[in-house]
Amino acid sequence: MSLSHALLGLLAIEPASGYELSKEFERDLGRYAWQAGHTSVYPELIRMTEQGLVEVTHEGARRSRTYAVTDKGREELRSWLLAPWGQGVVRNEQVLRLFLLEALEPDETVTALRDLVEHAEGRISELRRLREEQDAEPRQGRDTLGQLAAEYGLRQYQATHDWALWAIEHVNRRQGSDSA
Amino acid sequence: MSLSHALLGLLAIEPASGYELSKEFERDLGRYAWQAGHTSVYPELIRMTEQGLVEVTHEGARRSRTYAVTDKGREELRSWLLAPWGQGVVRNEQVLRLFLLEALEPDETVTALRDLVEHAEGRISELRRLREEQDAEPRQGRDTLGQLAAEYGLRQYQATHDWALWAIEHVNRRQGSDSA
DNA sequence: GCGAGACCTGCCAAAGATGACATGTAAGAT
DNA sequence: ATCTTACATGTCATCTTTGGCAGGTCTCGC
């Protein structure tokens, strides 16, 4: 399961409470990579503690527990990150929609593609801003995307954007030659 | 739920049996966009029939039932395809790994990135081949990715590939200046 | 004729995810 | 003092997904 790997990764960067981890999934991590509610996170942390992947290092105010990765957990994370690419389960609603877009009428396909262009532009300027903030004051820790991840997102959305423009042309050409 | 939308989309392109639909999820659709086993597909088709989204148009040999989209189903598909982008649940193991890659030691990060470069190269040549086949003999129907989807995949993997090369440089630079 | 393999559908237990509901604590504002 | 809000953790019913098991049908080659 990938939720445990997400938690291991976050805790490897910096120890945190279940509450803090849950918040992460509402930020960039959840927006771009992996979602999870607190009702999944807390039980999962308990399971992982039982398996010796993480441990409670501190109990603070309001019953809060700070977790940290154990050596075993760090090893598990390492082997997951170094495993061959392209193995896991693929379930991407965005890409599914692109696959099925051609089930629409050509003019509606174009409408959807134009919306996508706008959406991608929004994400691109969002990520550009983020990158500039990072360049200005490089931070440590988890409160912001890593530089690698931000750059990745930027390039993906740029590719999506350019593709959508190409696709609009493509559909228009096809439609034009049909009616010619 | 997106499984129903995937099925609606496939059936909108061409009516099919549960068996044929299941096979789709083992091909490009399942590789790139959405996975599902036959044990999900059959019950879902029954649910969708009850909801009036699809109907059985033909019963053939070996108890096979051919499904087709109803008007209601077509309308549901249409509104899903035209809905605003960036709404659905994000759960992408690939991207999650990229987010957490920096939890590794720099030299291991580079190892993982090099693997990713190779992986992306494999996918790119796969998709290029597919595109050439499509250009040679344009097909109808669902037995191959649409041209739009193939081009999309190609551009995404190209972006991933270029990013990974950039990221290797980035990590090396950072490591170099640390030890300088 | 017979066996292998593709075709075609299904059940069921277990695991995982979602959303409603519940509970209590500390800090800061008015 | 009181109230609101963020902090912090949890239960439970429901739904979805997965993987193992099961069973019958048609075709084709030998």
Side-chain angles (χ1 to χ4, degrees):
Chain A
M1 215 208 352
S2 288
L3 175 57
S4 58
H5 293 124
L7 295 173
L8 281 176
L10 291 172
L11 291 175
I13 297 170
E14 189 180 359
S17 67
Y19 183 79
E20 291 169 313
L21 292 167
S22 303
K23 287 292 161 196
E24 268 325 295
F25 289 106
E26 292 170 15
R27 298 173 200 273
D28 294 317
L29 185 69
R31 266 172 84 70
Y32 292 104
W34 201 269
Q35 281 184 359
H38 76 275
T39 55
S40 307
V41 171
Y42 290 121
E44 185 63 28
L45 285 170
I46 291 169
R47 258 194 301 270
M48 290 166 71
T49 307
E50 285 163 3
Q51 289 166 11
L53 298 170
V54 298
E55 60 188 352
V56 176
T57 55
H58 179 71
E59 311 215 351
R62 295 170 229 184
R63 288 188 303 157
S64 87
R65 265 157 296 183
T66 302
Y67 289 86
V69 197
T70 62
D71 286 346
K72 187 179 170 191
R74 207 170 291 273
E75 190 42 47
E76 169 60 30
L77 175 64
R78 192 177 158 276
S79 72
W80 177 70
L81 284 172
L82 291 172
W85 295 90
Q87 300 293 343
V89 174
V90 175
R91 189 157 285 151
N92 189 326
E93 192 173 333
Q94 191 102 347
V95 177
L96 178 62
R97 276 172 71 171
L98 298 179
F99 262 72
L100 300 176
L101 215 51
E102 292 176 90
L104 287 172
E105 299 301 315
D107 59 326
E108 292 193 314
T109 304
V110 170
T111 302
L113 286 168
R114 277 199 231 282
D115 286 353
L116 181 57
V117 169
E118 274 181 47
H119 174 66
E121 279 168 358
R123 289 282 169 108
I124 286 169
S125 50
E126 209 176 287
L127 286 163
R128 256 205 259 275
R129 205 175 328 117
L130 191 65
R131 193 175 56 175
E132 271 151 34
E133 283 170 26
Q134 283 177 349
D135 287 353
E137 41 138 0
R139 302 174 184 222
Q140 292 288 32
R142 203 182 40 232
D143 56 320
T144 180
L145 262 83
Q147 287 181 290
L148 296 189
E151 182 75 22
Y152 176 80
L154 194 54
R155 287 171 182 243
Q156 290 296 315
Y157 276 104
Q158 226 134 30
T160 299
H161 177 264
D162 295 350
W163 168 82
L165 289 178
W166 169 89
I168 289 169
E169 278 311 300
H170 184 83
V171 172
N172 283 338
R173 259 199 312 278
R174 203 159 52 184
Q175 204 178 2
S177 68
D178 276 3
S179 59
Chain B
M1 213 208 352
S2 288
L3 175 55
S4 58
H5 293 124
L7 295 173
L8 281 177
L10 291 172
L11 291 175
I13 297 171
E14 189 179 2
S17 68
Y19 184 78
E20 291 169 312
L21 292 167
S22 303
K23 288 293 159 194
E24 268 325 294
F25 291 106
E26 292 171 13
R27 300 172 200 273
D28 294 316
L29 185 69
R31 267 171 82 70
Y32 292 103
W34 201 270
Q35 281 183 359
H38 76 274
T39 55
S40 310
V41 171
Y42 290 119
E44 185 63 28
L45 284 171
I46 291 169
R47 257 192 303 269
M48 289 165 72
T49 307
E50 286 162 2
Q51 290 165 11
L53 299 170
V54 298
E55 61 188 351
V56 176
T57 55
H58 178 70
E59 309 217 350
R62 295 170 229 183
R63 289 188 301 155
S64 86
R65 266 157 296 187
T66 302
Y67 289 87
V69 196
T70 63
D71 286 345
K72 186 179 171 190
R74 208 169 291 273
E75 191 41 47
E76 169 61 29
L77 175 64
R78 192 176 159 276
S79 74
W80 177 70
L81 284 172
L82 291 173
W85 295 91
Q87 299 294 341
V89 175
V90 175
R91 190 157 283 149
N92 188 326
E93 192 173 334
Q94 193 101 347
V95 177
L96 178 62
R97 276 172 72 171
L98 298 178
F99 262 71
L100 300 175
L101 215 50
E102 292 176 270
L104 288 172
E105 298 302 313
D107 60 327
E108 291 194 315
T109 303
V110 170
T111 302
L113 286 168
R114 276 200 232 282
D115 286 354
L116 180 58
V117 169
E118 275 181 47
H119 173 66
E121 280 169 357
R123 289 283 168 107
I124 286 168
S125 48
E126 212 175 283
L127 287 164
R128 257 206 259 274
R129 205 175 328 117
L130 191 66
R131 193 176 55 175
E132 274 152 31
E133 283 171 26
Q134 283 177 350
D135 288 351
E137 41 139 358
R139 302 172 183 225
Q140 290 291 29
R142 203 182 40 233
D143 55 320
T144 179
L145 261 84
Q147 287 180 289
L148 296 189
E151 182 74 22
Y152 176 79
L154 194 54
R155 288 172 182 243
Q156 290 296 315
Y157 276 105
Q158 226 133 30
T160 299
H161 178 264
D162 295 348
W163 169 82
L165 289 177
W166 169 89
I168 290 169
E169 279 311 300
H170 184 84
V171 172
N172 282 338
R173 259 200 311 278
R174 201 160 52 183
Q175 204 178 4
S177 68
D178 277 1
S179 60

